[in-house]
Amino acid sequence: MPTFDMDPYDGDENDYMPQEDDWDRDMLLDPAWEKQQRKTFTAWCNSHLRKAGTQIENIEEDFRDGLKLMLLLEVISGERLAKPERGKMRVHKISNVNKALHYITSKGVKLVSIGAEEIVDGNAKMTLGMIWTIILRFAIQDISVEETSAKEGLLLWCQRKTAPYKNVNIQNFHISWKDGLGFCALIHRHRPELIDYGKLRKDDPMTNLNTAFDVAEKYLDIPKMLDAEDIVGTARPDEKAIMTYVSSFYHAFSGAQKAETAANRICKVLAVNQENEQLMEDYEKLASDLLEWIRRTIPWLENRAPENTMLAMQQKLEDFRDYRRQHKPPKVQEKCQLEINFNTLQTKLRLSNRPAFMPSEGKMVSDVSNAWGGLEGAEKGYEEWLLNEIRRLERLDHLAEKFRQKAATHEAWTGGKEEMLRSLDFETASLSEIKALLKKHEAFESDLAAHQDRVEQIAAIAQELNELDYHDSSSVNARCQRICDRWDTLGALTQKRSEALQRTEKLLETIDQLYLEFAKRAAPFNNWMEGAMEDLQDTFIVHTIEEIQGLSTAHEQFKATLPDADKERGAILGIHNEIAKIVATYHVNMAGSNPYITINPQEINAKWDKVRQLVPQRDQALIEEHARQQNSERLRRQFANQANVIGPWIQTKMEEIGRISIEMHGTLEDQLTHLRQYEKNIVNYKPKIDQLEGDHQLIQEALIFDNKHTNYTMEHIRVGWEQLLTTIARTINEIENQILTRDAKGISQDQMNEFRASFNHFDRDHSGTLGAEEFKACLISLGFDIANDAQGEAEFSRIMSIVDPNRVGVVTFQAFIDFMSRETADTDTADQVMASFKVLAGDKNFIMADELRRELPPDQAEYCIARMAPYSGTDAVPGALDYMSFSTALYGESDL
């Protein structure tokens, strides 16, 4: 027979407690502990065996045949073990125990030194050890609290549950439970209504233990595994017994918690079911309502009863628009919500592992969608029908109105036409009247033919109104018939009158042809005469003699055509005489005049006489204008001869003055003398300018605006003359300023010549000014040190601010001379100021205004006093000027 070593604490993942095996084996022999284990293990086994309707009385005797041991394992594991042996022999019992032990080892438990024979022989130590192993495996191993399991997990669970209770400090499974408060705390924590924890006392362990054990047995279905005396009467209660008892509390409460969780889960499931059922009811109701609404609406949309008036159809269209705007949108939302509810319901049922929802017959989403599709089909068809009907009624109204308008127009046109066609006015009419009547009748026939289309259109419109089932077709047909009948009458009368007019026309055809011939020849001749009169009386405006000569030539050519024109006049009058002869011979009624032309022979003769009178008048006007143009040509040549001399003379003088100001011939005084002589000569030329002004005035009075003999105008001469006077005056002033600068600064003539030569050299365009770069090059050529660096640029900018203070961008020769005089003057300004002051002050250190009046001319004295007024006054003498004040007032701070 196999023997199993019982080592319930060995293994990797199946270590249920720390290694206390040796201590447990030794203490197991302690009578008190053995008693506690017997009682506890027996109660624990019975708590499970009673589920199978049995129990044990003696733990080591009742498990000897192995039957109840196998039954215990089946109850606590929920699994079926191998079929037990029912024999009474020892071999049968050992076989059953071995099956039980094999099952225990199959669950990962190592049994050390436990054999079937010991259990069959009733070895109490081995039997208790085996039961303890089963308790560890099936009651304690699966306990897990905060990542701890087995004994540690159970201990941690006890500590967590009893932590809020005073006088309870669970640290182990023996002495921590002796006072009974630990058991009471566990019960009160989960079922506070079972124990009044506030009345318990730590010094009454018997009461506490009995209370806990009785309540657990009565209300929690936990059998009483120990007596209070067993725990209180020992110094250290058996740990295995306490652990077994406490594990029953753990499973009882965790089972209750699981039951509560299960109840909550059931409630949740029930709530979900109720919600799903509500969704089903809502779906059914919403689907029913929606389908009912669709059922009621489709017949309305399928109603195609037409209306006779546009107003009634527009009301139907408005009702349909109200349906689309107000009635349908909520139903669209309901349909959408129906689909959403259906999808949500199906999702919830699927998540709950419930069968899919099947709506009532005819209320599926597809049924609603099909019904909705039918609704939209009917709606689309209804809308198309409405629009077609409205278009039909619009067409009918348009056609009816068009019929009425055309009929009214035609009836208005035919009014009075029968009376006109029946008239016999042509019997007494003249040829022109007959011709007019015939033309008028032809026009009427054309008009009648044109109205044929209108009559056909009226008939066609009436036919279309009949085809479109117009509600007032009878009145339309009656009116159309009246129009057609009247049209046939007009056609017959027109043919009859046409034949009568044609017969009359042949009688007067000859006269008509003569009238026409007269008109064809008289009209252009009359136009020629009117044009000739306009030309002969036309006012002409010419500016040259060539233009007047051209007009005279054209006039002579016109006079050459007068004989032929007179012959044409005679021929036209001959036609008129022939007409008069025919009228007299055949007694034709000529009540009217020529129908083709309004002019008569008397008017032709009158206009011809007028032309003959205007010809000599035109001859005289052309002669006078020719004389006036000859005088204008003389004035042009007279002005041009003088202007062509004066213009070049002014230009020459301007160039000569420019050369004098640039060239260096003689001293500045010689140049000044030369320029003043030029100025005198220019002034002496003024009478010629005045004479030219007089000729220009004559030209203006003669209204002469152009002159091909010269390119000079008086305005050009005036501007040139003014520029000449300005240039000579400015040049003289520049030379005078140069003399003043030279004398004031002590510049020699050679220096002036050198400055002028340098200036002219860099003035390459001879403009009389230097640009910035030209001026810079000129300064460098004169010895100025202007480097191409920041310092040199700053120095040059300073110089430019002196010579070009207005930032024009050019430097004149006078500014150049002023600058050079400041840089090269030989006199010492400070010494001059000191010498002048000492002469005026004498032995004093100041001067007074009265002394200046005595020593200086009156105008210069007053000028100096005015300059010195802001600086006068010393600490000792009011109104006096010391040397610094004198020099500042007289010369300025910048010159010192």
Side-chain angles (χ1 to χ4, degrees):
M1 292 296 180
T3 300
F4 299 92
D5 293 334
M6 186 181 65
D7 188 2
Y9 317 109
D10 195 9
D12 296 331
E13 297 180 358
N14 300 315
D15 292 343
Y16 308 124
M17 295 185 299
Q19 295 188 4
E20 304 174 281
D21 185 56
D22 295 338
W23 179 83
D24 283 340
R25 288 176 181 273
D26 295 338
M27 296 301 293
L28 191 59
L29 300 176
D30 184 274
W33 282 24
E34 183 177 350
K35 178 182 178 182
Q36 293 177 16
Q37 287 187 15
R38 282 176 180 275
K39 186 179 292 185
T40 302
F41 291 174
T42 299
W44 182 85
C45 290
N46 286 332
S47 69
H48 292 286
L49 287 173
R50 67 184 178 185
K51 298 175 184 177
T54 186
Q55 63 178 6
I56 61 172
E57 298 295 338
N58 189 312
I59 195 166
E60 64 268 21
E61 291 294 332
D62 293 342
F63 285 138
R64 289 179 62 186
D65 58 2
L67 294 176
K68 290 187 177 180
L69 178 61
M70 293 179 68
L71 182 60
L72 174 66
L73 290 174
E74 287 181 350
V75 172
I76 62 177
S77 67
E79 299 178 6
R80 296 291 295 177
L81 273 66
K83 186 176 181 180
E85 299 289 343
R86 295 296 180 180
K88 301 294 184 179
M89 299 176 63
R90 176 179 175 83
V91 65
H92 295 146
K93 297 179 180 180
I94 292 174
S95 176
N96 290 335
V97 174
N98 277 330
K99 290 178 182 179
L101 295 179
H102 277 298
Y103 178 78
I104 295 172
T105 57
S106 68
K107 296 301 180 180
V109 179
K110 293 182 180 181
L111 298 175
V112 181
S113 301
I114 297 179
E117 292 80 358
E118 287 82 356
I119 303 302
V120 172
D121 293 338
N123 188 318
K125 174 182 176 183
M126 292 302 174
T127 302
L128 291 175
M130 179 188 66
I131 297 302
W132 173 241
T133 300
I134 293 172
I135 291 172
L136 283 176
R137 173 59 184 85
F138 293 100
I140 298 176
Q141 176 184 348
D142 294 335
I143 296 174
S144 176
V145 178
E146 296 184 8
E147 299 182 358
T148 61
S149 60
K151 178 181 178 181
E152 289 77 8
L154 183 61
L155 181 63
L156 181 60
W157 178 78
C158 295
Q159 291 172 344
R160 293 285 185 270
K161 296 299 182 179
T162 60
Y165 295 89
K166 63 180 181 177
N167 297 326
V168 178
N169 184 16
I170 306 300
Q171 298 298 326
N172 48 55
F173 286 107
H174 36 80
I175 60 175
S176 294
W177 302 86
K178 285 190 65 175
D179 57 8
L181 292 177
F183 290 102
C184 293
L186 287 177
I187 296 172
H188 185 269
R189 179 66 181 271
H190 294 90
R191 299 287 297 275
E193 75 281 2
L194 299 180
I195 294 179
D196 187 358
Y197 189 83
K199 295 181 178 180
L200 301 178
R201 300 197 311 276
K202 186 175 179 63
D203 57 359
D204 189 6
M206 290 295 293
T207 301
N208 297 340
L209 289 169
N210 286 325
T211 299
F213 295 161
D214 293 341
V215 169
E217 184 176 22
K218 182 178 181 180
Y219 297 102
L220 302 179
D221 197 26
I222 297 174
K224 192 173 184 180
M225 299 181 183
L226 291 172
D227 293 323
E229 294 80 1
D230 297 334
I231 297 176
V232 176
T234 59
R236 176 187 173 98
D238 180 60
E239 187 175 44
K240 295 180 178 62
I242 298 297
M243 284 181 63
T244 302
Y245 213 157
V246 172
S247 68
S248 297
F249 281 88
Y250 171 83
H251 288 294
F253 291 131
S254 63
Q257 186 174 358
K258 290 178 181 178
E260 182 179 357
T261 301
N264 293 335
R265 187 178 297 113
I266 292 171
C267 292
K268 185 176 181 181
V269 170
L270 291 175
V272 171
N273 290 340
Q274 290 176 347
E275 182 180 357
N276 292 341
E277 290 174 359
Q278 185 63 44
L279 286 174
M280 294 177 188
E281 293 177 5
D282 294 344
Y283 175 87
E284 291 283 341
K285 184 177 184 307
L286 189 58
S288 299
D289 295 344
L290 191 57
L291 289 170
E292 176 62 21
W293 178 80
I294 294 173
R295 185 189 63 77
R296 293 195 313 270
T297 305
I298 288 179
W300 175 67
L301 293 174
E302 290 177 344
N303 182 14
R304 301 293 191 271
E307 299 290 344
N308 292 330
T309 64
M310 177 63 73
L311 183 62
M313 286 306 299
Q314 286 178 343
Q315 182 58 47
K316 279 194 172 186
L317 180 61
E318 186 62 30
D319 294 341
F320 180 70
R321 287 173 177 168
D322 289 341
Y323 156 78
R324 293 288 294 270
R325 290 194 300 261
Q326 300 177 11
H327 302 293
K328 185 180 178 182
K331 299 303 178 182
V332 173
Q333 294 295 328
E334 290 179 9
K335 178 178 177 294
C336 180
Q337 189 62 44
L338 182 73
E339 295 174 356
I340 292 173
N341 290 351
F342 182 79
N343 293 333
T344 302
L345 177 59
Q346 298 293 44
T347 301
K348 288 185 175 181
L349 292 173
R350 186 170 59 254
L351 294 176
S352 301
N353 294 322
R354 297 288 303 282
F357 169 61
M358 292 297 294
S360 302
E361 184 178 359
K363 297 179 182 179
M364 294 288 291
V365 172
S366 59
D367 297 328
V368 175
S369 297
N370 292 334
W372 188 266
L375 174 72
E376 290 188 336
E379 178 183 315
K380 182 179 179 181
Y382 187 70
E383 184 177 17
E384 292 176 355
W385 176 77
L386 279 176
L387 295 176
N388 290 334
E389 277 298 301
I390 288 175
R391 282 193 288 267
R392 185 182 72 84
L393 289 176
E394 285 179 346
R395 176 66 177 165
L396 285 174
D397 289 348
H398 173 71
L399 288 174
E401 181 61 25
K402 189 175 181 180
F403 176 84
R404 286 191 291 271
Q405 290 179 357
K406 287 185 176 293
T409 302
H410 181 77
E411 290 167 351
W413 179 82
T414 57
K417 293 295 187 296
E418 290 187 18
E419 291 77 6
M420 183 269 292
L421 292 173
R422 297 178 189 275
S423 173
L424 301 177
D425 52 351
F426 57 86
E427 293 181 352
T428 59
S430 64
L431 178 61
S432 60
E433 291 172 342
I434 290 295
K435 204 72 174 178
L437 288 174
L438 189 58
K439 295 293 182 183
K440 182 179 179 181
H441 189 72
E442 291 175 354
F444 174 75
E445 287 179 332
S446 299
D447 194 12
L448 186 68
H451 277 74
Q452 178 68 33
D453 291 340
R454 178 177 295 156
V455 174
E456 293 176 355
Q457 291 174 5
I458 291 172
I461 294 172
Q463 180 64 28
E464 188 173 0
L465 287 172
N466 287 321
E467 292 174 355
L468 293 176
D469 195 21
Y470 182 56
H471 67 280
D472 196 17
S473 298
S474 58
S475 62
V476 170
N477 293 333
R479 191 173 184 180
C480 180
Q481 187 61 44
R482 288 195 301 271
I483 290 173
C484 292
D485 294 343
R486 195 170 186 181
W487 179 256
D488 294 339
T489 301
L490 287 177
L493 291 174
T494 299
Q495 180 64 29
K496 182 178 179 181
R497 182 174 175 82
S498 176
E499 292 173 354
L501 287 173
Q502 288 176 3
R503 288 193 302 269
T504 305
E505 179 190 20
K506 291 179 181 179
L507 297 175
L508 301 175
E509 188 173 7
T510 303
I511 295 174
D512 184 67
Q513 290 294 330
L514 291 174
Y515 271 146
L516 183 60
E517 181 68 19
F518 178 87
K520 288 181 178 179
R521 300 184 69 171
F525 184 73
N526 180 65
N527 290 336
W528 177 85
M529 288 190 297
E530 289 179 349
M533 286 188 292
E534 290 179 0
D535 293 339
L536 292 171
Q537 297 178 88
D538 185 28
T539 302
F540 49 82
I541 299 175
V542 294
H543 299 93
T544 64
I545 194 169
E546 290 81 1
E547 292 178 355
I548 193 61
Q549 288 174 350
L551 290 176
S552 298
T553 300
H555 183 63
E556 291 299 325
Q557 292 174 353
F558 168 74
K559 289 194 295 183
T561 62
L562 290 177
D564 293 337
D566 192 31
K567 291 180 182 180
E568 178 66 13
R569 182 181 66 86
I572 293 170
L573 294 177
I575 295 172
H576 178 73
N577 293 333
E578 186 177 356
I579 293 172
K581 183 178 178 180
I582 293 174
V583 169
T585 302
Y586 296 99
H587 305 286
V588 178
N589 184 8
M590 300 295 295
S593 60
N594 192 329
Y596 302 110
I597 193 169
T598 59
I599 192 171
N600 54 50
Q602 292 77 16
E603 292 177 352
I604 293 175
N605 288 330
K607 291 181 179 180
W608 176 254
D609 294 338
K610 180 66 174 176
V611 169
R612 294 182 62 85
Q613 291 174 6
L614 291 174
V615 169
Q617 296 176 6
R618 184 71 169 184
D619 290 337
Q620 184 61 34
L622 289 172
I623 292 171
E624 293 175 355
E625 181 62 28
H626 188 272
R628 193 177 70 83
Q629 288 300 325
Q630 286 179 334
N631 182 58
S632 297
E633 182 66 15
R634 181 185 59 78
L635 291 176
R636 288 191 185 95
R637 292 182 181 276
Q638 181 177 328
F639 178 85
N641 291 336
Q642 295 185 70
N644 289 337
V645 173
I646 294 174
W649 181 85
I650 292 174
Q651 184 64 30
T652 302
K653 293 303 178 183
M654 289 286 289
E655 294 174 356
E656 291 176 355
I657 294 171
R659 285 195 300 273
I660 293 173
S661 64
I662 295 175
E663 295 174 354
M664 299 174 294
H665 296 299
T667 64
L668 292 175
E669 285 78 1
D670 294 339
Q671 295 177 25
L672 183 61
T673 301
H674 195 188
L675 285 171
R676 285 176 175 166
Q677 184 61 39
Y678 256 82
E679 183 182 25
K680 182 177 180 182
N681 293 337
I682 290 170
V683 172
N684 292 335
Y685 202 78
K686 182 66 166 58
K688 294 185 178 182
I689 302 297
D690 295 339
Q691 183 181 356
L692 189 64
E693 286 280 6
D695 293 341
H696 178 67
Q697 184 175 355
L698 293 176
I699 285 177
Q700 287 183 325
E701 292 173 354
L703 301 178
I704 299 172
F705 303 105
D706 59 348
N707 194 340
K708 65 181 179 178
H709 303 297
T710 181
N711 292 326
Y712 293 98
T713 64
M714 195 62 223
E715 184 63 26
H716 292 155
I717 299 298
R718 290 193 194 104
V719 172
W721 176 255
E722 292 171 357
Q723 288 180 348
L724 180 61
L725 293 177
T726 302
T727 302
I728 188 64
R730 184 171 59 248
T731 305
I732 290 173
N733 179 257
E734 289 177 355
I735 297 299
E736 289 174 344
N737 288 337
Q738 292 175 22
I739 293 172
L740 289 174
T741 302
R742 181 198 65 190
D743 295 342
K745 302 299 184 178
I747 301 174
S748 65
Q749 185 62 40
D750 292 338
Q751 289 177 317
M752 289 295 291
N753 291 338
E754 181 184 1
F755 295 156
R756 169 54 75 178
S758 297
F759 189 89
N760 291 345
H761 174 75
F762 290 98
D763 182 17
R764 293 182 174 85
D765 58 355
H766 305 292
S767 62
T769 60
L770 296 180
E773 293 299 323
E774 293 175 339
F775 178 60
K776 185 176 181 181
C778 181
L779 291 178
I780 294 173
S781 69
L782 292 174
F784 283 80
D785 185 12
I786 302 177
N788 288 326
D789 54 15
Q791 183 176 0
E793 290 298 326
E795 176 61 17
F796 182 68
S797 298
R798 182 190 68 81
I799 294 174
M800 283 298 293
S801 66
I802 296 173
V803 298
D804 183 22
N806 295 325
R807 300 182 182 275
V808 178
V810 295
V811 180
T812 64
F813 181 69
Q814 183 61 43
F816 174 67
I817 290 299
D818 291 341
F819 172 72
M820 294 304 297
S821 66
R822 290 165 60 98
E823 298 294 326
T824 61
D826 294 330
T827 58
D828 187 351
T829 303
D831 292 342
Q832 291 178 357
V833 172
M834 178 59 75
S836 301
F837 181 80
K838 288 183 178 180
V839 169
L840 295 175
D843 296 334
K844 306 187 298 300
N845 291 326
F846 58 87
I847 59 175
M848 302 296 291
D850 293 340
E851 293 175 331
L852 289 175
R853 291 189 178 95
R854 286 197 307 270
E855 300 296 335
L856 299 177
D859 55 343
Q860 295 181 0
E862 294 303 325
Y863 174 74
C864 290
I865 292 170
R867 286 285 303 267
M868 296 174 186
Y871 308 99
S872 63
T874 65
D875 295 338
V877 182
L881 282 171
D882 57 14
Y883 167 70
M884 289 305 296
S885 299
F886 175 78
S887 62
T888 301
L890 192 59
Y891 294 97
E893 295 178 357
S894 61
D895 291 337
L896 295 178

